[in-house]
């Protein structure tokens, strides 16, 4: 396990290096001068030049690149060009909100999807199974940025039972997390169903039935435990997709997370903030996948890392 | 097996129903009652579309920042609804000569920490803006200041290097407390202390800002106890938020097609008034076709502004014949007005040497590139509308939409033939310096030495009648030369709860009158 972890951590560093390089080059090569955007239309050319100088934007790109890395190794992600706030503290301030929303979406998706997957597998080729299929099709066909406003129209405008946007209470979390988690629920439910069906056809399940083990035990203990392994993989991989989707949902629901920090930062060419946010998201994504790999070993005794 | 599974399904369904019941209880959901129908009479919830950058009046140049700054801070002078300068913290001012302004401050004006505001704070505010280290985007406006003198606690004297008529407009700068701003440095904007009607309480980044009424405000404590600004970046969410009563006040930040919906809503009221936003088409005068004045005039005649304002803007605009709006004191109503006349456009293009190649309109005379902001729906739609009008007179307009920062970069580096953009917050006519003076931005390669001279005279002249004369002539020249094609002045629209009283609309859509607003319920 230790060797595996070491190898994965080394891989992680090379992935992060790649991510930082690509983001750095893209954001610096896209037209748009941060100093001019900051100082506005009427700024004196001398002031724009002075600001470019003070922000270090007049240095060659390669120097800026290595300088960014040098600071990164000291744990310094720089300061936002626009607000002057340290990038790390700006991200840390907003990340809990993003994490809460992502986790709630994941929670919603799992509590809806896994039972649906189990039931549709148990009721294979019945009306319930077909309803499950329809649910999945609807789920994967509705993008979160469309579903969100539709849910707001129903639950906030028509019924008036949930707030349109904002944060601060569980009420505020319901619609954004459901909008984000719904498509994931559709995927997980199909995956759970397929996996359960495969496992239920195995010899050991037939044997269990033959010796009189109750259906409850067969489903929840013997079948589900084995069927859940590919589902965990999907959940882990989808976490990255959720982190991407959460950015749009945060804008729609005015949720004060990383998305609300990142999008305006891109518009204003706030290089340190954009680099910091992307780097942070990449780190989280990689770690979640690493955790998923480690969880495998616990839920499937056949998997051993060496 | 079937029986067992049915039991399993029943149990599962029961658990789901129980969970929903539990969640509803936790959320304290009260079905059938809309959010926010019962108002806290002392609270006002306002929507902002963008998180402010800072609350330091010396640094914040974005609209969101200003919406907070105008409540937390007060200025030496302020503008009235016609853009005339009127007293604020300075009850009067005089000019011993054309290079000196002396402001007389009111006594007993206090900062939110209880310390009295004096001439030293005013001096410090303006001097710090001039420090390049602060990086103020407003520094250019004060570069003519030579010296600031404080003869006594309530008098400030500004000595300028040369006469500067727009100086009074530029004196609209939030005064910061020297004893705090000096110590806090750039962090002052995170926890501001001013002398305005509302004091800063809390800023949850990207979420909300809370201000509270200041009881020692020099004009008396505001009737509204708290203003809560909600940051809502999505236009649809803003619309739904005011529909459900989650916010009480919304200014301009909505697509114009929603105005009818707001006007029909009996819980809301809409206040509209012409604003000082100038929408225009910029032309690159280095382009082989556009350097010909007749081509520019042909384009101006080809755009049907009446139709655009009626159909596209839902009447939230007025035709623009000058960058200055009709409510500005320097507006010249007698400039050339290019009313829709496609036939005249075609004749002008023929005259300019670009005849219709096949004489039946099926082939284009020439092509031009038109840049617009890809992230702004209105900008994209506007581009398509203009494209259709140009097609009608035989000009092929190729739309290139790009993100705003790139659009600005392209304009600055003359990588365009035509573009659409707006000038926001035009109040002092000295804006012509930025727009068209050779030392200004001159976004479109238009140079005119006589115009430069008139703009300089306007900047130097203190007599408002003489200034008016110069700006009248400037507007006449611009309407003849057409470096810009004016489209419309956008109408400011404030949508608010019908029980809110006392809002006054300013040309820049300022929130300043919120200090005098109150709730009035019939029952």
């Amino acid at each position: 396990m230790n060797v595996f972890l070491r190898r994965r951590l080394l891989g992680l560093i090379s992935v992060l290096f790649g991510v930082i390089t690509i983001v750095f080059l893209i954001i610096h090569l896209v037209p748009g001068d941060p100093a001019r955007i900051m100082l506005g239309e009427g700024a004196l050319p001398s002031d724009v030049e002075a600001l470019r100088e003070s922000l270090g934007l007049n240095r060659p790109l390669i120097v800026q690149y290595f300088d960014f890395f040098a600071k990164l190794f000291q744990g310094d992600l720089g300061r936002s060009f626009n607000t002057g706030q340290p990038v790390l503290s700006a991200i840390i301030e907003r990340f809990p909100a993003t994490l809460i929303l992502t986790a709630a979406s994941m929670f919603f998706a799992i509590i809806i999807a896994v039972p649906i997957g189990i039931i549709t597998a148990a009721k294979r080729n019945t009306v319930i199974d077909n309803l499950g299929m329809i649910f999945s099709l609807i789920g994967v066909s509705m993008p979160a940025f469309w579903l969100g406003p539709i849910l707001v129209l129903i639950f906030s405008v028509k019924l008036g039972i949930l707030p349109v946007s904002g944060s601060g209470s569980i009420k505020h979390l319901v619609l954004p997390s459901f909008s984000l988690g719904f498509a994931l629920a559709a995927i997980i439910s199909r995956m759970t169903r397929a996996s359960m069906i495969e496992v239920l056809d195995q010899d050991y399940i037939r044997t269990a039935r033959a010796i009189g083990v109750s259906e409850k035990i067969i489903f929840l203990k013997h079948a589900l435990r084995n069927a859940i392994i590919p589902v965990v993989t999907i959940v882990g991989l989808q976490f990255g997709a959720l982190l991407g989707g959460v950015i749009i949902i945060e804008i729609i629901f005015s949720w004060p997370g990383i998305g609300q920090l990142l999008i305006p930062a891109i518009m204003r060419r706030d290089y340190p903030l954009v680099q910091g946010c992307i780097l942070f998201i990449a780190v989280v994504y990689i770690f979640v996948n690493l955790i998923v790999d480690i969880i495998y070993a616990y839920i499937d005794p056949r998997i051993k890392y060496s | 097996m079937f029986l067992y599974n049915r039991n399993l399904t029943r149990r599962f369904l029961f658990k789901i129903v129980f969970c929903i019941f539990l969640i509803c209880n936790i959320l304290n959901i009260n079905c059938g009652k809309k959010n926010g129908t019962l108002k806290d009479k002392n609270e006002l919830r306002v929507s902002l579309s963008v998180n402010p950058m800072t609350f330091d009046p010396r640094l914040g140049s974005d609209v969101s920042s200003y919406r907070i700054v105008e409540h937390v801070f007060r200025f030496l002078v302020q503008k009235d609804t016609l853009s005339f300068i009127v007293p604020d913290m300075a009850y009067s001012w005089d000019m011993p000569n054309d290079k000196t302004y002396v402001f007389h401050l009111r006594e007993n004006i206090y900062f939110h920490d209880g310390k009295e505001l004096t001439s030293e704070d005013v001096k410090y505010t303006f001097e710090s803006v001039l420090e390049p280290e602060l990086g103020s985007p407003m520094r250019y406006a004060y570069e003519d200041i030579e010296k600031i003198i404080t003869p006594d606690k309530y008098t400030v004297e500004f000595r300028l290097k040369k006469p500067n008529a727009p100086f009074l407009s530029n004196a609209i700068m939030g005064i910061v407390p020297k004893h705090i701003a000096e110590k806090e440095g750039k962090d002052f904007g995170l926890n501001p202390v001013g002398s305005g009607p509302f004091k800063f309480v809390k800023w949850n980044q990207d979420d909300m800002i809370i201000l509270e009424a200041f009881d020692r405000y020099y004009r008396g404590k505001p009737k509204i106890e708290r203003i809560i600004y909600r940051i809502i970046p999505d236009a649809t969410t803003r619309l739904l938020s005011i529909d459900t009563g989650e916010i009480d006040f919304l200014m301009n930040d909505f697509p114009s097609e929603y105005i009818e919906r707001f006007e029909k809503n009996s819980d809301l009221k809409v206040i509209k008034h012409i604003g000082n936003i100038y929408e225009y088409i910029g032309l690159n005068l280095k382009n082989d076709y556009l350097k010909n004045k007749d081509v520019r005039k042909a384009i101006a005649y080809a755009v049907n502004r009446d139709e655009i304002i009626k159909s596209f803007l839902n009447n939230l605009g007025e035709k623009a014949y000058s960058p200055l709006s009709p409510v500005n004191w320097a507006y010249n109503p007698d400039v050339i007005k290019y009313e829709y006349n496609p036939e005249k456009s075609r004749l002008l293009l023929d005259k300019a040497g670009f005849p219709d190649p096949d004489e039946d309109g099926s082939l284009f005379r020439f092509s031009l590139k038109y840049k617009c902001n890809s992230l702004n729906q209105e900008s994209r739609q506007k581009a398509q509308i203009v494209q259709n009008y140009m097609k009608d007179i035989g000009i092929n307009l190729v739309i290139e939409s790009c993100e705003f920062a790139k659009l600005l970069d392209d304009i600055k580096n003359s990588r365009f033939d035509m573009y659409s953009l707006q000038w926001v917050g035009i109040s002092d006519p000295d804006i012509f310096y930025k727009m068209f003076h050779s030392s200004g931005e001159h976004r479109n390669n238009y140079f005119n030495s006589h115009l430069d001279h008139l703009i300089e005279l306007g900047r130097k002249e203190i007599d408002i009648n003489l200034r008016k004369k110069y700006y009248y002539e400037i507007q006449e020249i611009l309407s003849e030369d057409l470096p810009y094609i004016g489209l419309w002045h956008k109408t400011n629209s404030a949508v608010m709860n019908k029980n809110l009283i006392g809002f006054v609309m300013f040309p820049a859509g300022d929130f300043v009158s919120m200090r005098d607003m109150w709730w009035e319920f019939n029952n």
Side-chain angles (χ1 to χ4, degrees):
Chain A
M1 183 64 114
N2 283 342
V3 176
F4 165 77
L5 274 178
R6 266 202 298 275
R7 204 184 301 148
R8 284 297 301 262
L9 286 172
L10 275 176
L12 184 151
I13 291 166
S14 57
V15 169
L16 287 181
F17 177 79
V19 168
I20 294 166
T21 306
I22 292 168
V23 172
F24 183 90
L25 288 177
I26 289 175
I27 192 76
H28 279 82
L29 295 178
V30 171
D33 180 359
R36 179 153 283 277
I37 296 168
M38 275 172 77
L39 292 181
E41 294 296 290
L44 296 172
S46 56
D47 282 355
V48 174
E49 206 44 41
L51 186 60
R52 284 184 60 80
E53 190 66 43
S54 75
L55 295 173
L57 296 170
N58 282 338
R59 297 171 302 163
L61 198 60
I62 191 79
V63 176
Q64 293 183 50
Y65 177 72
F66 284 113
D67 183 53
F68 176 68
F69 263 104
K71 283 185 177 158
L72 187 64
F73 283 122
Q74 297 162 32
D76 180 9
L77 286 172
R79 278 178 175 259
S80 159
F81 284 171
N82 289 290
T83 61
Q85 195 183 8
V87 169
L88 194 60
S89 78
I91 293 172
I92 289 171
E93 204 175 305
R94 287 162 179 85
F95 188 65
T98 298
L99 195 65
I100 288 169
L101 182 52
T102 312
S105 309
M106 192 68 91
F107 175 74
F108 255 121
I110 292 169
I111 61 157
I112 294 169
V114 173
I116 289 177
I118 296 170
I119 293 168
T120 50
K123 301 278 185 184
R124 210 182 321 175
N125 302 326
T126 64
V127 177
I128 291 176
D129 190 20
N130 290 338
L131 286 175
M133 174 66 97
I134 291 168
F135 163 80
S136 304
L137 273 176
I138 292 172
V140 291
S141 312
M142 286 195 301
F145 63 81
W146 180 84
L147 180 62
I150 294 298
L151 291 177
V152 169
L153 267 179
I154 298 168
F155 292 99
S156 308
V157 180
K158 295 290 173 203
L159 301 175
I161 56 174
L162 288 169
V164 175
S165 65
S167 66
S169 74
I170 299 175
K171 262 186 184 184
H172 289 99
L173 191 59
V174 176
L175 293 184
S177 55
F178 190 79
S179 312
L180 194 59
F182 194 59
L184 180 60
I187 295 167
I188 295 175
S189 70
R190 293 318 289 170
M191 197 69 208
T192 310
R193 178 188 176 275
S195 190
M196 280 292 283
I197 287 172
E198 197 186 324
V199 171
L200 287 170
D201 286 342
Q202 298 282 318
D203 290 343
Y204 74 93
I205 298 288
R206 201 177 304 126
T207 309
R209 282 200 178 115
I211 61 171
V213 179
S214 74
E215 283 294 315
K216 185 180 179 182
I217 301 288
I218 288 173
F219 265 81
L220 299 181
K221 192 175 173 192
H222 299 298
L224 185 61
R225 186 148 183 212
N226 283 318
I228 210 76
I229 296 166
V231 178
V232 171
T233 317
I234 288 292
V235 169
L237 288 174
Q238 288 296 321
F239 190 84
L242 277 187
L243 275 178
V246 80
I247 288 170
I248 303 297
I249 286 295
E250 282 178 6
I251 298 287
I252 293 172
F253 287 96
S254 315
W255 188 264
I258 295 273
Q260 290 227 53
L261 191 66
L262 179 60
I263 302 292
I266 294 171
M267 303 297 167
R268 291 169 182 161
R269 299 290 189 272
D270 196 332
Y271 298 156
L273 204 48
V274 175
Q275 287 159 189
C277 288
I278 303 283
L279 179 66
F280 200 78
I281 291 171
V283 168
V284 172
Y285 184 52
I286 290 166
F287 269 102
V288 167
N289 279 285
L290 183 65
I291 291 164
V292 168
D293 283 348
I294 293 167
I295 289 173
Y296 280 169
Y298 288 98
I299 58 176
D300 188 350
R302 290 170 302 177
I303 298 171
K304 292 267 183 287
Y305 297 116
S306 60
Chain B
M1 182 179 166
F2 173 72
L3 276 176
Y4 178 79
N5 280 345
R6 199 169 60 182
N7 283 339
L8 187 73
T9 312
R10 274 184 190 165
R11 281 188 197 178
F12 174 71
L13 285 174
F14 173 76
K15 282 176 187 168
I16 291 284
V17 170
F18 180 74
C19 282
I20 292 171
F21 175 76
L22 205 67
I23 290 168
C24 284
N25 274 295
I26 291 169
L27 298 179
N28 191 21
I29 286 171
N30 184 3
C31 294
K33 192 178 101 177
K34 279 195 171 189
N35 292 301
T37 45
L38 291 173
K39 297 277 173 219
D40 179 341
K41 286 187 185 182
N42 293 321
E43 192 171 284
L44 177 62
R45 287 163 299 177
V46 180
S47 148
L48 289 180
S49 59
V50 183
N51 192 43
M53 295 212 300
T54 172
F55 299 145
D56 188 332
R58 302 164 300 168
L59 294 175
S61 58
D62 57 311
V63 175
S64 289
S65 299
Y66 188 74
R67 295 288 173 249
I68 314 298
V69 162
E70 63 184 320
H71 288 318
V72 176
F73 296 88
R74 283 321 300 157
F75 319 123
L76 280 178
V77 291
Q78 57 187 332
K79 280 177 191 155
D80 69 5
T81 51
L82 290 173
S83 300
F84 282 112
I85 303 295
V86 291
D88 192 358
M89 289 193 306
Y91 63 88
S92 73
W93 57 91
D94 40 61
M95 293 186 67
N97 58 62
D98 60 1
K99 289 195 284 185
T100 307
Y101 285 83
V102 181
F103 293 93
H104 305 283
L105 303 181
R106 293 172 205 271
E107 294 181 21
N108 298 321
I109 292 182
Y110 295 96
F111 284 114
H112 300 150
D113 67 340
K115 198 166 180 293
E116 193 182 10
L117 184 148
T118 67
S119 54
E120 277 304 316
D121 297 301
V122 179
K123 182 177 190 287
Y124 169 77
T125 301
F126 286 90
E127 282 180 348
S128 61
V129 169
L130 285 166
E131 293 290 331
E133 295 80 54
L134 186 74
S136 170
M138 278 77 96
R139 199 173 87 91
Y140 72 92
Y142 305 105
E143 58 171 347
D144 281 346
I145 295 178
E146 188 179 59
K147 208 174 182 184
I148 303 171
I149 298 162
T150 50
D152 63 57
K153 216 173 152 186
Y154 302 110
T155 309
V156 197
E157 194 176 312
F158 289 83
R159 292 194 185 159
L160 309 181
K161 292 172 196 161
K162 55 187 182 208
N164 185 326
F167 181 77
L168 265 185
S169 288
N170 294 334
I172 300 177
M173 158 65 71
I175 303 302
V176 301
K178 184 183 176 188
H179 62 287
I180 298 174
E182 215 167 30
K183 200 167 66 188
E184 297 281 326
K186 281 195 171 183
D187 289 340
F188 177 73
L190 294 170
N191 199 10
V193 175
S195 56
F198 292 91
K199 55 185 178 187
F200 173 80
V201 177
K202 192 176 166 189
W203 182 12
N204 289 347
Q205 296 272 357
D206 293 312
D207 186 18
M208 65 164 72
I209 299 136
I210 300 175
L211 305 182
E212 239 170 45
F214 178 45
D215 47 11
R216 294 179 82 183
Y217 176 53
Y218 82 90
R219 289 180 48 177
K221 189 183 175 186
K223 292 178 184 108
I224 299 278
E225 283 281 352
R226 270 153 74 94
I227 302 182
I228 299 175
Y229 290 89
R230 291 269 321 278
I231 319 291
I232 309 178
D234 185 70
T236 311
T237 311
R238 282 196 294 276
L239 163 85
L240 296 174
S241 297
I242 195 146
D243 258 358
T244 53
E246 271 182 40
I247 56 168
D248 308 308
F249 187 94
L250 176 64
M251 169 70 86
N252 288 346
D253 285 329
F254 55 87
S256 54
E257 64 258 30
Y258 290 130
I259 193 72
E260 223 172 288
R261 179 192 171 113
F262 292 139
E263 283 172 334
K264 280 180 185 162
N265 187 335
S266 58
D267 291 331
L268 300 174
K269 66 178 172 188
V270 180
I271 294 177
K272 296 187 283 189
H273 200 265
I274 187 166
N276 58 14
I277 296 175
Y278 171 63
E279 292 271 352
Y280 69 96
I281 298 173
L283 308 170
N284 187 349
L285 270 61
K286 269 192 180 162
N287 177 280
D288 287 341
Y289 304 108
L290 296 172
K291 67 184 173 194
N292 187 319
K293 201 191 285 182
D294 284 331
V295 172
R296 302 201 292 272
K297 286 187 174 180
I299 293 171
Y301 279 119
V303 179
N304 189 342
R305 294 166 188 79
D306 288 311
E307 192 177 67
I308 296 176
I309 289 167
K310 191 178 164 209
S311 314
F312 176 56
L313 293 178
N314 289 280
N315 295 317
L316 289 181
E318 278 188 32
K319 286 188 276 187
Y321 302 112
S322 157
L324 303 181
S325 89
V327 287
N328 193 294
W329 58 267
Y331 174 72
N332 181 352
D334 300 319
V335 293
I336 305 170
K337 294 184 172 68
Y338 295 90
E339 302 295 357
Y340 180 57
N341 191 342
E343 199 43 54
K344 196 166 181 177
S345 293
R346 291 186 199 102
L347 290 172
L348 280 163
L349 288 175
D350 292 343
K351 186 185 153 202
F354 306 111
D356 187 353
D358 56 350
E359 295 187 349
D360 67 354
S362 59
L363 287 176
F364 289 115
R365 298 167 194 253
F366 53 85
S367 291
L368 293 169
K369 278 182 193 164
Y370 184 101
K371 301 232 170 184
C372 67
N373 181 359
S374 59
L375 297 177
N376 182 314
Q377 190 189 344
E378 193 173 291
S379 176
R380 292 194 311 269
Q381 289 174 333
K382 192 167 65 182
Q384 286 162 356
I385 292 168
V386 175
Q387 186 184 42
N388 274 329
Y389 287 131
M390 292 305 112
K391 190 179 168 191
D392 198 31
I393 59 166
I395 298 175
N396 180 28
L397 217 56
V398 181
I399 298 172
E400 283 184 9
S401 62
C402 50
E403 186 229 354
F404 188 62
K406 183 177 183 312
L407 177 67
L408 287 183
D409 205 57
D410 284 350
I411 293 168
K412 187 175 160 269
N413 294 299
S414 288
R415 290 190 294 262
F416 68 95
D417 297 333
M418 292 166 72
Y419 66 86
S420 62
L421 217 56
Q422 51 181 216
W423 282 92
V424 182
I426 299 173
S427 56
D428 195 285
D430 187 57
I431 191 77
F432 288 122
Y433 194 96
K434 264 198 214 174
M435 287 179 177
F436 301 114
H437 192 275
S438 305
S439 317
E441 279 196 34
H442 51 84
R443 289 176 177 177
N444 41 0
N445 299 306
Y446 169 64
F447 300 97
N448 182 330
S449 54
H450 180 53
L451 192 85
D452 282 358
H453 178 63
L454 287 170
I455 292 172
E456 282 159 21
L457 287 176
R459 178 172 270 201
K460 277 185 218 153
E461 186 53 61
I462 305 300
D463 183 331
I464 198 160
N465 290 319
L466 271 176
R467 278 191 91 194
K468 206 174 191 176
K469 195 182 129 216
Y470 298 136
Y471 291 122
Y472 266 44
E473 194 180 340
I474 287 168
Q475 289 170 81
E476 276 163 23
I477 293 170
L478 291 173
S479 72
E480 172 59 29
D481 285 357
L482 277 182
Y484 283 177
I485 293 174
L487 294 174
W488 62 81
H489 297 290
K490 194 143 190 203
T491 300
N492 285 321
S493 335
V495 182
M496 67 196 85
N497 187 295
K498 66 169 181 187
N499 298 314
L500 269 171
I501 313 292
F503 179 75
V504 177
M505 184 70 89
F506 283 76
D510 293 341
F511 286 3
V512 65
S513 65
M514 278 180 188
R515 64 187 175 199
D516 302 319
M517 282 169 76
W518 71 96
W519 286 100
E520 197 167 278
F521 295 92
N522 293 328
N523 42 28

